[in-house]
Amino acid sequence: FKENRKDDIWLVDFYAPWCGHCKKLEPVWYEVGIEMRNMGSPVKVGKMDATSFSSIASEFGVRGYPTIKLLKGDLAYNYRGPRTKDDIIEFANRVAGPLIRPLPSQHMFEHVQKRHRVLFVYVGGESPLKEKYIEVASELIVYTYFFSASEDVLPEYVTLPELPAVMVFKDGTYFVYDEYEDGDLSSWINRERFQGYLHVDGFTLYELGDTGKLVAIAVIDDKNSSVEHTRLKSIIQEVARDYRDHFHRDFQFGHMDGNDYINSLLMDDLTIPTIVVLNTSNQQYFLPDRHIESTEDMVQFINNILDGTAEAQGGDGLLQRIKRIIYDAKSTVVSVFKSSPLLGCFLFGLPLGVISIMCYGICTADTEGEVFEHEGAKKESGDRELTDEGSEEEQEEEKNGKYTELSDGELKQKDIMEKKKD
């Protein structure tokens, strides 16, 4: 594979046998392979055990499992979207094709516009802007499509101030790139590759972090058709549509179904429906200080964030990191016990039991050691007293110079007493 991979385009799943997410992806990956083969795609689909072939995995920068990459010549493109069959196939077909796809007719333009919610188009001939456009496309083709067209192919409602130009078509309208107002072309395309309003999930929120925008989300229950859930969603949609010129450079708008993911980010339980603004670059978030009743209330809340009067919560400081570690550990323990109480008791009860036995053994050993030391000290003290008494008698005898003759019985008794002292 390493020697011949450049002869073909490969879509590879780098996995680990023990990885739960890899096992979950396995049936999806099997369907991807079958459908890509049936549609006659030039892309070959494969999988590789990154733990057995760690040198190859390291060569392609694999740091987690599963990692999906499309290998095309000397380039390797990471897939970072949802792990569904349709999303993976769409990614493979987009990246495997040409960087810039030509639109030769109005009919083709209309067909492409119906298929893609966001598309970028270069209009004009050869220019430095086109070179830059191609360069950006080689980097961001993993996210969106790039096209080129002549001016007469564009819809009649499109008006261009000058040529060449780069445009984005989305949200039922179009926007033209302005180098002086929008800055670097790569940054502009990265910001504009999303629709103005999104159904946000975990993967989308992760990608939005690359745009540098704040994300204003209505956290609701999609299955709940009550007035409050519908109203908050409508407010966010109206702000995204009617105030695009004011906020699109700084804000992305959308809604999220359920609060589980948001709770894990905020380390708190949010009552839904509610509105939260996330700064994915530093894990800060903003909550409205009063109930959002109208579009005007939401606009005021956003302006307060922009001028710094709204209070930011969370962040990535030291205390927040410690709190994050504790929260993640607690969540892991709770999830294990909820899913399998017996497994939880085994995983956490056994280590605690072993630690308890070790502590008991250490404490018991210390107590017995103290007893032995105490008895040894008493014995040593007694020996010292006996020795000291013998020394005093001998000194007294030497001082007084009393040496008397003793009988055999008295000598024998004296020897016995001295042995006892010894």
Side-chain angles (χ1 to χ4, degrees):
F1 169 79
K2 185 176 180 180
E3 295 175 356
N4 302 321
R5 72 161 185 89
K6 293 184 180 180
D7 298 335
D8 299 289
I9 301 174
W10 282 90
L11 182 67
V12 182
D13 167 28
F14 293 91
Y15 72 97
W18 44 261
C19 171
H21 294 291
C22 301
K23 294 177 181 177
K24 187 176 180 181
L25 176 64
E26 189 170 350
V28 176
W29 197 253
Y30 181 74
E31 293 178 1
V32 169
I34 291 177
E35 187 156 335
M36 295 287 284
R37 182 180 60 191
N38 291 342
M39 67 173 53
S41 172
V43 178
K44 292 187 175 182
V45 181
K47 56 188 297 187
M48 178 178 290
D49 183 351
T51 60
S52 298
F53 302 97
S54 57
S55 60
I56 297 180
S58 177
E59 178 182 340
F60 292 118
V62 176
R63 296 182 178 85
Y65 310 111
T67 293
I68 298 173
K69 287 179 176 284
L70 188 132
L71 310 178
K72 183 180 178 181
D74 293 323
L75 301 175
Y77 296 92
N78 283 334
Y79 176 68
R80 295 169 57 182
R83 295 185 181 116
T84 64
K85 182 190 72 173
D86 293 338
D87 287 305
I88 293 173
I89 290 176
E90 197 270 342
F91 161 82
N93 289 333
R94 181 174 68 247
V95 179
L99 285 177
I100 312 298
R101 302 167 189 253
L103 298 174
S105 65
Q106 287 187 352
H107 177 73
M108 179 62 72
F109 186 95
E110 292 172 0
H111 173 72
V112 168
Q113 196 171 14
K114 291 177 181 178
R115 289 189 57 191
H116 304 296
R117 290 169 291 185
V118 179
L119 66 148
F120 292 90
V121 181
Y122 173 83
V123 183
E126 298 297 326
S127 67
L129 181 60
K130 184 176 182 179
E131 294 177 2
K132 182 64 177 178
Y133 183 71
I134 295 174
E135 179 185 339
V136 173
S138 65
E139 176 188 355
L140 300 180
I141 188 67
V142 294
Y143 300 120
T144 188
Y145 286 90
F146 295 88
F147 298 90
S148 64
S150 59
E151 190 174 10
D152 58 349
V153 170
L154 301 177
E156 295 180 357
Y157 62 82
V158 174
T159 302
L160 293 177
E162 60 180 1
L163 291 177
V166 176
M167 314 168 61
V168 58
F169 290 83
K170 65 176 184 178
D171 301 330
T173 184
Y174 70 96
F175 306 97
V176 182
Y177 166 68
D178 187 325
E179 182 178 2
Y180 298 102
E181 291 187 3
D182 300 317
D184 180 64
L185 178 63
S186 178
S187 300
W188 179 77
I189 292 178
N190 196 38
R191 291 196 306 268
E192 296 292 342
R193 62 187 174 91
F194 296 99
Q195 291 177 278
Y197 182 88
L198 296 170
H199 181 182
V200 181
D201 57 17
F203 284 105
T204 307
L205 197 60
Y206 179 73
E207 288 189 13
L208 287 171
D210 295 336
T211 66
K213 292 183 178 181
L214 300 174
V215 187
I217 303 175
V219 186
I220 62 173
D221 183 357
D222 276 338
K223 298 178 182 179
N224 192 325
S225 58
S226 66
V227 175
E228 185 65 12
H229 287 256
T230 306
R231 187 180 61 81
L232 286 183
K233 182 178 177 181
S234 299
I235 288 175
I236 296 291
Q237 289 174 328
E238 290 175 11
V239 173
R241 181 186 66 245
D242 299 339
Y243 292 85
R244 172 190 156 81
D245 292 339
H246 296 84
F247 301 134
H248 81 279
R249 285 185 175 86
D250 301 301
F251 280 86
Q252 175 67 50
F253 299 92
H255 79 274
M256 178 172 281
D257 181 20
N259 62 348
D260 291 341
Y261 192 83
I262 292 294
N263 288 344
S264 65
L265 288 178
L266 274 55
M267 295 180 288
D268 196 3
D269 293 327
L270 282 183
T271 303
I272 59 174
T274 188
I275 289 176
V276 60
V277 175
L278 302 173
N279 186 341
T280 55
S281 64
N282 60 7
Q283 297 184 347
Q284 286 185 342
Y285 62 94
F286 301 85
L287 296 174
D289 55 359
R290 57 193 176 92
H291 194 62
I292 302 296
E293 296 287 350
S294 63
T295 303
E296 290 71 23
D297 290 340
M298 186 64 200
V299 170
Q300 182 61 48
F301 177 44
I302 293 175
N303 285 326
N304 290 341
I305 294 174
L306 291 175
D307 61 26
T309 57
E311 180 184 0
Q313 303 182 52
D316 55 1
L318 179 59
L319 292 178
Q320 286 295 321
R321 292 180 185 179
I322 296 173
K323 184 179 178 182
R324 169 69 61 185
I325 293 173
I326 296 173
Y327 179 85
D328 290 342
K330 180 182 176 181
S331 301
T332 302
V333 173
V334 171
S335 63
V336 169
F337 273 98
K338 282 184 177 180
S339 60
S340 179
L342 292 178
L343 178 62
C345 292
F346 177 78
L347 290 177
F348 299 104
L350 182 61
L352 290 175
V354 172
I355 293 173
S356 300
I357 293 173
M358 292 175 62
C359 292
Y360 175 77
I362 292 172
C363 294
T364 304
D366 289 343
T367 303
E368 291 178 352
E370 290 177 1
V371 172
F372 291 148
E373 289 177 0
H374 181 65
E375 291 180 351
K378 286 177 63 179
K379 183 176 180 181
E380 184 178 351
S381 177
D383 291 343
R384 187 182 299 111
E385 288 176 0
L386 290 174
T387 304
D388 290 343
E389 288 176 359
S391 299
E392 289 177 359
E393 290 179 358
E394 290 174 359
Q395 291 175 1
E396 187 68 22
E397 288 178 357
E398 289 177 358
K399 180 179 179 180
N400 297 331
K402 295 180 180 179
Y403 297 99
T404 59
E405 292 184 359
L406 301 174
S407 64
D408 293 340
E410 289 174 337
L411 288 171
K412 188 175 181 180
Q413 186 177 3
K414 185 176 181 181
D415 290 336
I416 292 172
M417 292 299 294
E418 288 177 354
K419 287 179 180 180
K420 286 183 178 181
K421 291 180 180 180
D422 292 337

